[in-house]
């Protein structure tokens, strides 16, 4: 049984190896093979050589495994890199997860309609909700007060 630290190292090394290989492969397909580090070029050359003898999936698995072993020892793992635990396949919606390679987007759920009283801001007054007073009405009332003050002080 592997210790917890070696399991953590193995998981991090495996994730990094998978991500790096995918990045290297994409960069090589886009024409940036010469800009890749030496170790990436070595892994990709081995991947290309194996494609003549086996399927793309098998060649990719071997390339990721080689990268994973190198990363495992670089990260401080001791001995042979443990075999990673197989990942659980996500539940498929209407199709086989292995053959259905389509990303399905979901609409966000509609927000719940809440009343002001439900939010806990203020309890509703006994005679119903308050009506808002328009700004124009407030302005007219202030003008009337100013005019009345001027009239009464003369």
């Amino acid at each position: 049984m592997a210790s917890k630290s070696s399991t953590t190292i193995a998981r991090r090394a495996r994730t990094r190896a998978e991500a790096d290989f995918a990045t290297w492969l994409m960069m090589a397909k886009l024409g940036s093979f010469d800009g890749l580090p030496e170790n990436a070029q070595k892994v990709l050359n081995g991947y290309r050589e194996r494609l003549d003898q086996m399927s793309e999936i098998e060649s990719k698995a071997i390339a990721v495994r080689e990268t994973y072993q190198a990363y495992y020892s670089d990260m401080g793992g001791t001995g042979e890199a443990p075999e990673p635990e197989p990942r659980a396949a996500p539940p498929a919606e209407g199709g086989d997860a292995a053959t259905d390679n389509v990303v399905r987007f979901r609409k966000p759920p509609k927000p719940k309609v809440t009343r002001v009283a439900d939010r806990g801001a203020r309890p509703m007054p006994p005679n119903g909700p308050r009506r808002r007073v328009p700004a124009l009405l407030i302005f007219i009332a202030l003008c009337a007060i100013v005019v009345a003050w001027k009239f009464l002080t003369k």
Side-chain angles (χ1 to χ4, degrees):
M1 180 88 188
S3 69
K4 184 172 182 151
S5 64
S6 66
T7 305
T8 303
I9 292 171
R11 186 173 40 248
R12 285 187 9 229
R14 180 68 179 198
T15 302
R16 183 176 167 203
E18 289 172 349
D20 283 355
F21 180 75
T23 303
W24 297 338
L25 190 59
M26 185 57 64
M27 289 180 68
K29 286 180 180 179
L30 293 175
S32 300
F33 182 79
D34 294 332
L36 291 172
E38 186 178 327
N39 65 335
Q41 290 180 6
K42 179 181 169 189
V43 170
L44 287 175
N45 284 331
Y47 167 76
R48 287 180 184 164
E49 290 171 6
R50 284 188 298 272
L51 281 177
D52 297 335
Q53 304 156 359
M54 60 185 71
S55 72
E56 182 180 356
I57 294 172
E58 292 170 331
S59 181
K60 178 184 174 187
I62 292 171
V64 169
R65 177 71 183 166
E66 291 172 353
T67 308
Y68 162 61
Q69 288 177 342
Y71 284 170
Y72 180 76
S73 61
D74 288 347
M75 290 180 173
T78 56
E80 186 70 21
E83 282 295 321
E85 297 174 5
R87 294 183 178 161
E93 290 184 24
D96 185 16
T99 60
D100 188 16
N101 198 15
V102 178
V103 176
R104 303 200 191 290
F105 293 103
R106 294 184 180 157
K107 292 182 181 178
K110 292 183 179 179
K112 293 181 180 179
V113 177
T114 57
R115 298 183 316 210
V116 175
D118 291 344
R119 284 190 242 156
R122 284 183 271 174
M124 189 176 288
N127 53 352
R130 288 188 174 171
R131 297 183 64 198
R132 297 186 68 142
V133 180
L136 182 62
L137 185 61
I138 295 171
F139 179 73
I140 292 172
L142 287 173
C143 288
I145 291 172
V146 169
V147 169
W149 183 262
K150 292 280 185 174
F151 180 73
L152 293 174
T153 56
K154 282 190 177 181

